[in-house]
Amino acid sequence: PAVKLYRLLRFDTLQLALSPIDFNEIQRIAHNQRAEFHQFWTDYERLRNWVADLIAAGVAEGKFIECDQQETAGLLLNFDEGAQKRTRLHTDEGDRVAEAIRVAEQVAVIAVRGLLKRPSEIARISGQAAQFDDAAMIIPGRPTPRTGR
């Protein structure tokens, strides 16, 4: 569960950071117009439950600390939603992409390390996650590990 959670948080942060629209603005509008944004909240709840399930699995395996899994899942998503603001200051697209990748990696490291009973395991977990180039699914023109193009 630790590697899956790491990848999910890294991917979500990167996706939000590279979006042309600030997610926090969408969320504010959705909050004020709940009926019109019903599907948004359904999808968001599904994502939060997925994160909570990964946390619960880590706790059950004895790898993660005991915590309120739903509350922690919500806080981790709030962390990656806030982190995307770091990239909005870049006007150069190349700088923005590099910053987004760096920030996404930091969010994943900080979040997962904070849940680990043995924080020193983060190097192994980030190493395993590094085998997957999740950024290739988001960044146009980035070569994928399978095809090399």
Side-chain angles (χ1 to χ4, degrees):
V3 174
K4 287 181 180 178
L5 180 60
Y6 187 103
R7 290 183 61 207
L8 186 151
L9 293 172
R10 180 179 66 184
F11 181 83
D12 195 45
T13 303
L14 187 60
Q15 187 173 13
L16 293 173
L18 294 176
S19 171
I21 302 167
D22 185 333
F23 178 79
N24 295 303
E25 292 302 319
I26 296 169
Q27 199 170 38
R28 275 193 259 310
I29 293 166
H31 180 74
N32 292 330
Q33 300 175 30
R34 285 196 172 266
E36 293 84 356
F37 283 85
H38 172 75
Q39 190 60 50
F40 172 88
W41 292 113
T42 299
D43 293 345
Y44 191 83
E45 186 67 20
R46 219 169 74 222
L47 176 61
R48 190 170 65 121
N49 287 336
W50 186 16
V51 172
D53 289 347
L54 289 172
I55 295 168
V59 170
E61 285 183 3
K63 301 288 186 187
F64 288 172
I65 59 171
E66 291 288 333
C67 62
D68 179 323
Q69 288 121 25
Q70 284 293 326
E71 179 74 16
T72 303
L75 290 170
L76 292 180
L77 291 174
N78 293 157
F79 181 33
D80 79 14
E81 292 157 9
Q84 57 94 29
K85 287 186 171 245
R86 292 274 311 216
T87 63
R88 301 219 172 265
L89 303 175
H90 292 283
T91 53
D92 179 287
E93 194 61 30
D95 287 348
R96 183 172 178 211
V97 169
E99 178 77 354
I101 290 170
R102 190 181 66 71
V103 167
E105 203 67 46
Q106 284 184 320
V107 165
V109 166
I110 292 166
V112 174
R113 184 174 54 205
L115 288 170
L116 290 170
K117 282 188 174 178
R118 293 181 174 202
S120 61
E121 290 185 10
I122 195 63
R124 177 187 58 77
I125 292 163
S126 63
Q128 287 177 330
Q131 295 175 9
F132 301 92
D133 185 9
D134 298 318
M137 291 186 276
I138 302 168
I139 301 168
R142 187 174 170 103
T144 61
R146 290 188 194 151
T147 65
R149 352 176 207 148

